[in-house]
Every structure is written in structure tokens, then in C-alpha cells.
Amino acid sequence: QVQLVESGGGLVQPGGSLRLSCAASRSIFSIYVMGWYRQAPGKQRELVATHTITRNGVTNYADSVKGRFTISRDSAKNTVYLQMNNLEPEQTAVYSCNARGAILGGGAYWGQGTQVTVSS
């Protein structure tokens, strides 16, 4: 129903910035929720940010990234972005893109993930 491919991860110094991209194989205009999750070493996967299409677009962020990370949806490019600023070593994780909604038949879809490493 949809394939998701993440890109933009890599090695960055503390205080630096990265922008992750999630390219979808179909229109994302009507997909209810697009989101970013992450899994750090020894930790369970956690929600980072979501973008919902209700009310002209609603965003939600984990407390640990609020004010520093920004999720956005570019429907013309079938792409969701995660802008990450002022990165800290604690943000090191594999970041994955997620899509869910009734238009997808009730299933959840994931990308392959992209590694983000924050280190000197």
C-alpha cells in the first residue's frame, strides 16, 4: 500500500543539525498520521514526532525533543521531514518513518531506518 525510504542520517557533532527525509511511494496527502520513531541502544522504540492531517495539520512531539525538532509534511513531494537542531549524544539512535490510517487498510507501515550518531 505504501513503501517508505528514509535518508539523511549520519555522524554529527554535538550541537549540530541534521534533516531526515522519508520518501513515500504514493500520495501522503490523505494518510492520517505520518511519524518518526527512534530506538537507541538498549532502549525500546519510542515516538519522536507525528503529523496528523486533521485541523489543517496537527503535530505532536516527545518532551525530550520539543522546541528542537520539527516534523513537516510536503505532500507535493510525497515526503515527510524531521529537522533536528542542537543535537546531543543522547539523541543517538536508529530513526524510522511510520505511516498509519484507514486509507492504508488499517495496517502500519515502516521504513528501513536510518542511523543518527551524535559524537565528538
Side-chain angles (χ1 to χ4, degrees):
Q1 303 228 21
V2 63
Q3 290 77 50
L4 306 171
V5 180
E6 301 98 333
S7 62
L11 177 64
V12 63
Q13 295 184 1
S17 299
L18 284 175
R19 188 178 74 161
L20 306 183
S21 298
C22 173
S25 62
R26 56 151 286 166
S27 172
I28 63 171
F29 182 79
S30 298
I31 297 178
Y32 190 63
V33 182
M34 300 293 301
W36 287 95
Y37 293 72
R38 69 186 178 191
Q39 186 168 25
K43 302 289 186 64
Q44 295 190 164
R45 186 171 61 193
E46 65 176 348
L47 185 148
V48 177
T50 61
H51 181 281
T52 305
I53 61 174
T54 58
R55 304 179 186 89
N56 296 317
V58 177
T59 57
N60 183 57
Y61 298 93
D63 289 341
S64 61
V65 307
K66 191 171 297 183
R68 297 189 296 157
F69 287 16
T70 303
I71 186 172
S72 60
R73 185 191 304 225
D74 188 339
S75 294
K77 297 182 178 179
N78 294 340
T79 301
V80 176
Y81 301 99
L82 183 68
Q83 178 67 47
M84 305 184 295
N85 297 325
N86 193 25
L87 285 162
E88 300 176 352
E90 292 73 23
Q91 308 294 344
T92 294
V94 174
Y95 286 72
S96 300
C97 183
N98 171 265
R100 68 178 189 271
I103 199 172
L104 300 176
Y109 295 85
W110 297 87
Q112 82 288 347
T114 184
Q115 175 71 48
V116 173
T117 302
V118 185
S119 176
S120 299

